[in-house]
Amino acid sequence: MSFLRFLGGRPADQSSAGVADRPASLTEETEAIRRIVTRLESLPPEQARLLAGLAYILARAAYADLDISEAETTVMESELAAIGVDSSQAVLVVEMAKLQEKTTGDTSDYLATREFRDRSTPEQRLNVLRACYRVCCADESISGAESATLNEIASELGLTREEAATIRAEFAQWISARMGFGTVNESLG
């Protein structure tokens, strides 16, 4: 299975893409995308699947509130760059993952997360949950819907409650349910 097909597919017949009918600038852009895809497809299959899984899970976290903001997109791209994906590849992979999440989300969420769990190390699973929290707090708060999705992701990754709680505590200041209520002592005093 090609990398592009894993994230959402491409026309089986490349001539059906209509590239010849497009303006030169779009043709040049398409060629640039093809070069990026070629580099992505040259990755070892296991590495490509992990990258695709990571991007999909990040998009899932970002789309928990049914919107993926520019800030969340930027963080997703940064997360991929942090593991060595060049910026043009990161943009393409993130855009494909976002499109895939928006179009097939609920039906693929569990399967994609479970596949990542099965192919990743415990450290990688902890890191992906931490990255999901960074994506969700990109717009300076983690909503109730995002928090619920993060809990689902942690569970589907096979993390213990303690592991998930430790990571959640790192981002406690951005959890919107806690915002504006002060501390218990302030409320009672």
Side-chain angles (χ1 to χ4, degrees), residues 58-76:
L58 294 177
R60 175 185 178 187
Y63 197 60
D65 58 2
L66 303 180
D67 179 56
I68 301 177
S69 70
E70 280 301 313
E72 289 169 327
T73 298
T74 299
V75 172
M76 291 168 62

Side-chain angles (χ1 to χ4, degrees), residues 9 59 159 175:
L159 301 179
I175 298 173

Side-chain angles (χ1 to χ4, degrees), residues 101-144:
E101 175 58 27
K102 288 178 180 180
T103 58
T104 65
D106 289 338
T107 59
S108 300
D109 287 349
Y110 175 75
L111 296 174
T113 307
R114 184 179 65 187
E115 181 174 340
F116 183 87
R117 178 197 67 207
D118 293 345
R119 295 175 179 274
S120 61
T121 66
E123 182 180 357
Q124 288 170 324
R125 292 190 289 276
L126 291 170
N127 288 337
V128 77
L129 182 62
R130 196 170 276 112
C132 287
Y133 270 94
R134 285 192 290 269
V135 167
C136 287
C137 70
D139 44 14
E140 300 183 10
S141 74
I142 298 173
S143 69

Side-chain angles (χ1 to χ4, degrees), residues 3-167:
F3 185 77
L4 258 181
R5 285 198 183 125
F6 177 73
L7 277 180
R10 66 174 167 215
D13 175 15
Q14 292 299 317
S15 64
S16 69
V19 174
D21 299 333
R22 296 184 181 155
S25 62
L26 189 53
T27 300
E28 290 169 7
E29 184 176 311
T30 302
E31 288 304 314
I33 291 170
R34 284 187 179 145
R35 285 191 298 275
I36 293 167
V37 169
T38 299
R39 289 195 320 249
L40 290 170
E41 288 185 331
S42 70
L43 292 173
E46 188 66 22
Q47 185 180 355
R49 291 186 82 73
L50 277 174
L51 175 60
L54 168 62
Y56 185 90
I57 294 167
L58 294 177
R60 175 185 178 187
Y63 197 60
D65 58 2
L66 303 180
D67 179 56
I68 301 177
S69 70
E70 280 301 313
E72 289 169 327
T73 298
T74 299
V75 172
M76 291 168 62
E77 292 167 0
S78 297
E79 291 295 330
L80 295 183
I83 62 167
V85 177
D86 75 44
S87 62
S88 61
Q89 290 174 328
V91 169
L92 181 62
V93 171
V94 165
E95 289 304 318
M96 289 188 305
K98 286 170 38 178
L99 178 61
Q100 189 71 18
E101 175 58 27
K102 288 178 180 180
T103 58
T104 65
D106 289 338
T107 59
S108 300
D109 287 349
Y110 175 75
L111 296 174
T113 307
R114 184 179 65 187
E115 181 174 340
F116 183 87
R117 178 197 67 207
D118 293 345
R119 295 175 179 274
S120 61
T121 66
E123 182 180 357
Q124 288 170 324
R125 292 190 289 276
L126 291 170
N127 288 337
V128 77
L129 182 62
R130 196 170 276 112
C132 287
Y133 270 94
R134 285 192 290 269
V135 167
C136 287
C137 70
D139 44 14
E140 300 183 10
S141 74
I142 298 173
S143 69
E146 289 171 324
S147 185
T149 297
L150 291 165
N151 289 337
E152 287 175 5
I153 291 169
S155 175
E156 291 165 13
L157 288 171
L159 301 179
T160 66
R161 287 183 184 260
E162 293 78 19
E163 290 169 327
T166 298
I167 292 172

